[in-house]
Amino acid sequence: MGSAAAGPAFDAAELRALLDGRWASVREKVRASLRENDLANADDLDTESHRARTLEQLRLLAKSGVPELGFPVAQGGGGDQGGSVVSLELLAGNLSLMVKSGVQWGLFGGAVVALGTERHHERYLRDIMSVELPGCFAMTETGHGSDVQRLRTTATYDETTQEFAVHTPHEAARKEYIGNAARDGRMAVVFAQLITGGNGNTGAKSHGVHALLVPIRDEAGNPCEGVRIEDCGRKAGLNGVDNGRLYFDRVRVPRENLLNRYGDVAEDGTYSSPIDSEGKRFFTMLGTLIRGRISVAGTAGSAAKLALEIALRYADARRQFDRPGGDEEVVVLDYLAHQRKLLPALAKSFALHFAQEELVQALDEVQRGGDERAQRELESRAAGLKAVTTWHATHTIQTCREACGGAGYLTENQLAGLKADTDVFTTFEGDNTVLLQLVAKGLLTNYKDQFDGIGTLGLAKFVADQFVGAVIERSAAHSIVQRIIDASNKDDILDRGWQLKAFQDREEHVLDGLGRRLRKANKDNAFDVFNNAQDHVLRAARVHIDRLVLDAFVAAVDRCRDPRNAELLDKLCDLYALSIVEEDKAWFLEHERISPRRAKAITQAINTLCGELRPHAVDLVEAFGMPRQWLTAPIATGAESARQGAQIAHDRANPLP
Amino acid sequence: MGSAAAGPAFDAAELRALLDGRWASVREKVRASLRENDLANADDLDTESHRARTLEQLRLLAKSGVPELGFPVAQGGGGDQGGSVVSLELLAGNLSLMVKSGVQWGLFGGAVVALGTERHHERYLRDIMSVELPGCFAMTETGHGSDVQRLRTTATYDETTQEFAVHTPHEAARKEYIGNAARDGRMAVVFAQLITGGNGNTGAKSHGVHALLVPIRDEAGNPCEGVRIEDCGRKAGLNGVDNGRLYFDRVRVPRENLLNRYGDVAEDGTYSSPIDSEGKRFFTMLGTLIRGRISVAGTAGSAAKLALEIALRYADARRQFDRPGGDEEVVVLDYLAHQRKLLPALAKSFALHFAQEELVQALDEVQRGGDERAQRELESRAAGLKAVTTWHATHTIQTCREACGGAGYLTENQLAGLKADTDVFTTFEGDNTVLLQLVAKGLLTNYKDQFDGIGTLGLAKFVADQFVGAVIERSAAHSIVQRIIDASNKDDILDRGWQLKAFQDREEHVLDGLGRRLRKANKDNAFDVFNNAQDHVLRAARVHIDRLVLDAFVAAVDRCRDPRNAELLDKLCDLYALSIVEEDKAWFLEHERISPRRAKAITQAINTLCGELRPHAVDLVEAFGMPRQWLTAPIATGAESARQGAQIAHDRANPLP
């Protein structure tokens, strides 16, 4: 049935090149490194051994040279943040290692790079790259995970000793879920409310959240004085990562340990910063840490691809129920219901892949010197894609588990681990619901003239005040999209121009309506007006991201040269676009954007596209180039097809009497 | 904020009584037994210890007298299958124990009761109840999980020795995922194609799938001769249950080991059965095993309630983001988006609870002597509710995990375990997609005049041939529903009559359309016509179950006497009904059942209902009476409210400078 035996009916090399994109050589380097090192996941070990093995693998990975990519050239790094995101993505088969890498090099190392200055870079970065200095990123507190501007840990400067005293005032302020804390970390970047003039209890002033380097363990691995460390214990997944809790009892660190790029304290306690507003300063700091969020989106996308490859390979071999009028059992992927479960998810994986590639390019451009507007657009897009891609992963991996039946529940077939490990992706690096509100806030700045109270009413804070008047509008693919729309005069659901216009029109309409609703807010009813519209706010963000993702997919189809590839990508793009319209069919009907007749035609078109793509499904998912080391599930690597073959042969030789 | 401190604003005792229903005394007995015995889940142990502990707990449970409930009075049981289902449900806090119980007493014991005759009952049932004889239910094979009529294991009668030879002809025919097999089972009920006249290889005849008792381990725990046992290894969850694989190499068992209620073999090899048709015989056998499917639905429902209780208690204590214009942070459950995540799921839990209660009553009635039609209705409803309730559990527990953020990912807060353990519920005891097709097939028999070829075309088989001309129509609540519809002349979305009519009308319309589509099937296109309509088939089943569930909820509201309780249940019922309409709003718009204006009103009504129910949410979920022993999550048992209290007190005393 599948075309795998005969080879793909398209130019696989060109498609791989298109998918590998600008960082193709990084991808190849990581694939090679995975062939050479044993980085297999160790989920079958007990917690302590699993953590130990993950640390060993982290050191192996350090030696491969890959993790240096994202670090400054001055300290021997590659100066390529985009490459570093792409390389993390490919660790999807060992997510504990991916997250441990993300903590060590992305969060801990990344914070030292972005928030520190040369003295920190010179002193620490080499040891961070080599894992000589394992570290933590201690931002989240038990009481504050989403609203991190309200963290309660304090760092009070004492000019008499030129030290900061880092302190946890109550249990809700302990640092929580901190990766590398329970077992391996020696130092932590601790985020705390910075207070100067506080040692005499007069003239104390707080300057908002800043980050400091705090040693947490000595060379022997014992907690430093005043530092209490607890183990978060077992989690649903990612048990190779040692998450812990940190409590500080007036722990003293030298003044120089303040990561002082955006705010500094002089010996005499004088505070200075290049950014006046406390809020803007903090969100500027957060903005420099955007890479972590982008990595999570990329890795979630990879995990979904791996799950889809397992489920599609199984569905292409597995048979169940006799074919009416035939003498063989039906291959499961021939059932429409099964295609409906897996193929729209495959199309969406392609769409999100191209959107992620654009996002990483935007990161690269901003890193090489973008203006504030480019930075704000990057943040909005990273937030939105992180939410959409991690939900896609959660949903798709769940669907793949169910599509593989009982076999999907066995650990050996990988889906259980992928599910458990990725589950927290919708939460960490920003809770998805909060992130979507942040996207919406960015969009609403277009409307700020209409309700200019948004800043003063406290509403801005409420939506998460990351955006300072930015206008988020255009996708990178804007000109291609506009050309297609301009060229289109067809009113046909398979016409790309119609699809693009449908997405654009929906986005504009939802946002307009939201603007009108929120305009009613005044000083007294601000919370209620906003809260009553919260579902509308989330929808505005979602339809915006949907549109950006479609734009990215359309641009990728436009880059494709081989006509067979273009034809298949075209169908995948149709399937993505129409699936999104179908999911939200109620909106399109309610707003009379489509007629009932057209609504039915969309459902039928999706069924037809599923049938047309079905013979290519396995080859298409393989085109993503997930490292072959990660594909270990017996049901996806020959066991099921061998069994089905043996059964068919046996049945022919031994029919039941 | 929550009303918990002040006590519920309704009559909690009456609501508990209404929810506990007919088996209230069984529920109280199980709650008491859980207080007296240590049945806490042991997920933190390694696999071997976890399995050992689960077996110990099974024996503890046996001593409580609860498991005897479902067994025949003649052998010392309680003769109460309904009570046995209800008691299993309450084990939701230790799902490995629940599943191990289900295997031992429900599946293994249940098969001996239902398929065996007195000689088997007298010889084995007491040892099964006491767990002297741990056993397996060996139906599923690697190659056949859904289409069990096509199992490949054979049991060939040899009249020269008066034995059956049980044989696994190839790998796809090995018994797979068999609970109790890897470690503890001594005997298995093995389902196999029964062949007589086969020892001479002439005149052999097969009679379809039958069940036999096959010893698999000796007293010392070693596999019996010819039996090979493999361990399925780690699974996503339920690791206290020792699932394994069984291979039989012409294993000989005495003739008397055939469970011979529905088919027997005489000493000379003559086959006899009270049911002529091979298909009907097999599905009659399967029908007697329906209790397992009903237990899975009940337990899934319980697990969802427990998850909701954890998430609601946390959301009622947790605060995040300042309230604009206020000086406190907002309690998370006050956010509309959070209410939207949890409250419709709470309403659906109530709806499914009452539907499950009706289903268990139907089981009880059929067990006490129902006709074939009642049996078929029971099977259809069990299939449909199992699918809908297990998907509800998967979806709700996932939502609860996300709603608890990082805390939800920690094992100590229970959601990780609930997720992992219940994940396979959508698969075992019937894959949900296959079950919905089975429901649809039952509904389609109403249309059999229109396409009477359905039997001969092989279509019937394809949809799963469990229904023999049954007509599935009425819910138990039929008369109440009809009275409400007749009394209603309002065209108001909050009018119960309008809601009931909307559900009924949708069911009829979807089914009519499906009938018309399938009528086009003929000998040559049968598979394609059916396959192209597969999404329509699944939808027909789903809307049918939705209607039955609403009917059950309406009947329960009708039973409620306390006006405050009735008012709250009314709101929950509105929320359930309107949430279902909103989920399927596209259908109602597409078929012009509601106008765009009304569609918007439904969304607004749901938001309003969420706000009205929010103050009662914690009390309402507590009314389900989940045993308090199961609620161990620190975030749901005081840790979070203590932290928030301490933080507020600290902030007041120590404002940031």
Side-chain angles (χ1 to χ4, degrees), chain A residues 430-499:
Chain A
D431 175 89
N432 281 2
T433 300
V434 175
L435 291 181
L436 287 185
Q437 294 187 88
L438 193 154
V439 172
K441 171 64 171 50
L443 299 171
L444 285 168
T445 53
N446 286 332
Y447 289 77
K448 66 175 175 172
D449 297 340
Q450 292 175 32
F451 51 116
D452 56 7
I454 199 167
T456 54
L457 288 175
L459 260 183
K461 177 68 193 320
F462 189 65
V463 205
D465 192 9
Q466 262 93 329
F467 289 88
V468 193
V471 179
I472 315 293
E473 253 183 349
R474 303 262 143 100
S475 70
H478 177 70
S479 61
I480 299 158
V481 167
Q482 207 47 52
R483 169 164 55 74
I484 292 173
I485 290 180
D486 292 345
S488 157
N489 54 9
K490 278 189 270 181
D491 185 29
D492 172 353
I493 55 174
L494 291 178
D495 181 66
R496 190 58 34 78
W498 181 85
Q499 295 163 0

Side-chain angles (χ1 to χ4, degrees), chain B residues 321-556:
Chain B
F321 291 110
D322 295 335
R323 180 181 291 268
D327 60 353
E328 281 188 344
E329 293 174 290
V330 179
V331 175
V332 169
L333 193 52
D334 287 344
Y335 290 115
L336 175 67
H338 216 77
Q339 295 167 7
R340 274 273 186 171
K341 284 178 192 167
L342 300 178
L343 298 185
L346 177 66
K348 191 167 182 178
S349 279
F350 272 85
L352 292 171
H353 177 98
F354 293 120
Q356 176 74 11
E357 170 89 4
E358 264 190 16
L359 178 65
V360 176
Q361 291 203 21
L363 169 72
D364 180 75
E365 282 157 29
V366 165
Q367 173 209 5
R368 292 177 199 286
D371 59 10
E372 191 175 317
R373 179 191 156 124
Q375 171 72 30
R376 293 290 96 79
E377 285 197 1
L378 176 68
E379 288 167 17
S380 167
R381 194 177 293 201
L385 259 189
K386 188 270 183 185
V388 169
T389 310
T390 55
W391 268 326
H392 168 67
T394 297
H395 179 252
T396 299
I397 299 169
Q398 178 67 36
T399 301
C400 290
R401 203 298 292 155
E402 293 181 29
C404 293
Y409 197 62
L410 301 185
T411 301
E412 65 176 28
N413 288 320
Q414 298 184 267
L415 295 163
L418 284 169
K419 245 179 71 109
D421 287 343
T422 56
D423 189 20
V424 77
F425 284 27
T426 56
T427 296
F428 70 12
E429 285 286 341
D431 175 89
N432 281 1
T433 300
V434 175
L435 291 181
L436 287 185
Q437 294 187 89
L438 192 153
V439 172
K441 170 65 171 50
L443 299 171
L444 285 168
T445 53
N446 287 333
Y447 290 77
K448 66 176 175 171
D449 296 341
Q450 292 175 30
F451 50 114
D452 56 6
I454 199 169
T456 54
L457 288 175
L459 258 185
K461 176 67 193 318
F462 188 66
V463 203
D465 192 8
Q466 261 92 327
F467 290 88
V468 193
V471 179
I472 314 291
E473 255 181 346
R474 304 262 143 101
S475 70
H478 179 67
S479 60
I480 300 158
V481 166
Q482 205 48 51
R483 169 164 57 74
I484 293 174
I485 290 180
D486 291 345
S488 157
N489 54 9
K490 278 189 270 181
D491 186 29
D492 173 353
I493 54 174
L494 291 178
D495 181 67
R496 191 57 34 78
W498 181 85
Q499 295 163 0
L500 287 163
K501 274 188 283 193
F503 277 55
Q504 273 192 9
D505 167 54
R506 181 177 61 147
E507 180 182 359
E508 281 165 24
H509 188 93
V510 170
L511 200 54
D512 273 347
L514 181 60
R516 275 197 303 278
R517 277 179 83 166
L518 294 188
R519 218 183 330 174
K520 291 173 191 149
N522 61 42
K523 212 175 162 121
D524 298 324
N525 67 6
F527 177 77
D528 290 334
V529 168
F530 182 82
N531 198 36
N532 290 339
Q534 205 178 10
D535 50 344
H536 200 153
V537 167
L538 298 173
R539 148 171 285 274
R542 216 165 304 187
V543 301
H544 170 69
I545 302 297
D546 283 348
R547 200 260 300 162
L548 288 180
V549 172
L550 179 61
D551 285 3
F553 203 162
V554 167

Side-chain angles (χ1 to χ4, degrees), chain A residues 144 152 329 401 423 651, chain B residues 144 152 329 401 423 651:
Chain A
H144 290 90
R152 297 301 208 265
E329 291 175 291
R401 203 299 290 156
D423 189 20
D651 285 354
Chain B
H144 289 89
R152 298 300 208 266
E329 293 174 290
R401 203 298 292 155
D423 189 20
D651 284 355

Side-chain angles (χ1 to χ4, degrees), chain B residues 140-292:
Chain B
T140 296
E141 294 174 0
T142 305
H144 289 89
S146 291
D147 188 6
V148 283
Q149 205 175 358
R150 299 282 275 137
L151 295 176
R152 298 300 208 266
T153 302
T154 52
T156 307
Y157 186 67
D158 178 353
E159 59 265 29
T160 61
T161 62
Q162 299 188 19
E163 290 173 322
F164 290 99
V166 178
H167 187 61
T168 306
H170 48 75
E171 190 177 305
R174 68 185 183 193
K175 295 297 176 180
E176 179 73 275
Y177 319 124
I178 307 302
N180 255 349
R183 183 181 184 275
D184 299 325
R186 294 291 162 98
M187 184 171 268
V189 171
V190 176
F191 289 81
Q193 302 288 348
L194 185 73
I195 298 167
T196 55
N199 64 325
N201 220 2
T202 54
K205 182 159 172 29
S206 70
H207 306 278
V209 174
H210 288 65
L212 305 90
L213 286 166
V214 183
I216 60 166
R217 278 193 184 81
D218 61 23
E219 290 293 315
N222 298 313
C224 297
E225 203 188 323
V227 177
R228 182 150 68 92
I229 305 179
E230 282 176 6
D231 195 319
C232 288
R234 291 287 291 182
K235 296 158 289 173
L238 298 177
N239 282 302
V241 184
D242 53 322
N243 293 82
R245 301 179 182 120
L246 300 172
Y247 302 74
F248 303 101
D249 184 8
R250 298 184 174 79
V251 173
R252 301 225 147 214
V253 298
R255 189 182 66 92
E256 292 77 14
N257 281 28
L258 179 67
L259 296 175
N260 60 334
R261 179 168 163 200
Y262 294 103
D264 204 357
V265 175
E267 291 183 6
D268 68 354
T270 308
Y271 178 81
S272 63
S273 167
I275 304 171
D276 286 344
S277 149
E278 193 180 303
K280 187 169 175 184
R281 187 190 308 139
F282 179 59
F283 289 112
T284 302
M285 291 190 208
L286 283 190
T288 64
L289 305 173
I290 196 69
R291 193 174 58 173

Side-chain angles (χ1 to χ4, degrees), chain A residues 85 89 290-299 356 359-360 363 378 382 386 429:
Chain A
V85 168
E89 242 177 75
I290 196 69
R291 192 173 59 172
R293 199 167 276 167
I294 299 175
S295 285
V296 168
T299 309
Q356 175 75 11
L359 178 65
V360 176
L363 169 72
L378 175 67
K386 186 271 183 184
E429 285 287 341

Side-chain angles (χ1 to χ4, degrees), chain A residues 377-398:
Chain A
E377 285 197 1
L378 175 67
E379 288 167 19
S380 167
R381 194 177 292 199
L385 259 189
K386 186 271 183 184
V388 169
T389 309
T390 55
W391 270 325
H392 168 67
T394 297
H395 179 253
T396 299
I397 300 169
Q398 178 68 35

Side-chain angles (χ1 to χ4, degrees), chain A residues 90-304:
Chain A
L90 288 170
L91 296 181
N94 183 344
L95 290 163
S96 280
L97 178 59
M98 179 271 159
V99 170
K100 187 112 173 162
S101 301
V103 168
Q104 172 68 16
W105 295 306
L107 294 174
F108 173 55
V112 174
V113 170
L115 305 180
T117 49
E118 208 196 336
R119 68 174 188 245
H120 307 107
H121 297 179
E122 274 300 312
R123 180 155 175 200
Y124 298 113
L125 290 186
R126 289 179 190 85
D127 287 350
I128 291 174
M129 287 187 268
S130 69
V131 202
E132 271 302 296
L133 180 67
C136 307
F137 181 82
M139 179 183 280
T140 296
E141 294 173 1
T142 305
H144 290 90
S146 291
D147 187 6
V148 283
Q149 204 175 358
R150 300 281 274 136
L151 295 176
R152 297 301 208 265
T153 302
T154 52
T156 308
Y157 185 66
D158 179 353
E159 58 264 30
T160 62
T161 61
Q162 299 189 20
E163 289 172 322
F164 291 99
V166 178
H167 188 60
T168 305
H170 49 74
E171 191 177 305
R174 68 185 182 193
K175 296 295 178 181
E176 179 73 274
Y177 320 125
I178 307 302
N180 255 348
R183 183 182 184 277
D184 298 325
R186 294 291 162 99
M187 184 171 268
V189 170
V190 176
F191 289 80
Q193 302 289 348
L194 184 72
I195 298 168
T196 53
N199 63 324
N201 218 5
T202 54
K205 179 155 174 34
S206 70
H207 306 277
V209 174
H210 288 65
L212 304 90
L213 286 166
V214 182
I216 59 167
R217 278 192 185 83
D218 62 22
E219 289 294 314
N222 299 311
C224 296
E225 202 188 324
V227 177
R228 183 151 66 93
I229 306 179
E230 281 177 6
D231 195 320
C232 288
R234 291 286 292 182
K235 296 158 289 173
L238 298 176
N239 282 301
V241 184
D242 52 322
N243 293 83
R245 300 180 183 119
L246 300 173
Y247 302 74
F248 302 101
D249 183 9
R250 297 183 174 80
V251 173
R252 301 226 146 214
V253 297
R255 189 182 66 93
E256 292 76 14
N257 280 27
L258 179 67
L259 295 176
N260 60 335
R261 180 168 163 200
Y262 293 104
D264 205 357
V265 175
E267 291 183 7
D268 67 355
T270 308
Y271 179 80
S272 63
S273 167
I275 304 172
D276 286 342
S277 148
E278 193 180 303
K280 186 168 176 184
R281 187 190 308 139
F282 180 59
F283 290 111
T284 302
M285 291 190 207
L286 283 190
T288 64
L289 305 173
I290 196 69
R291 192 173 59 172
R293 199 167 276 167
I294 299 175
S295 285
V296 168
T299 309
S302 283

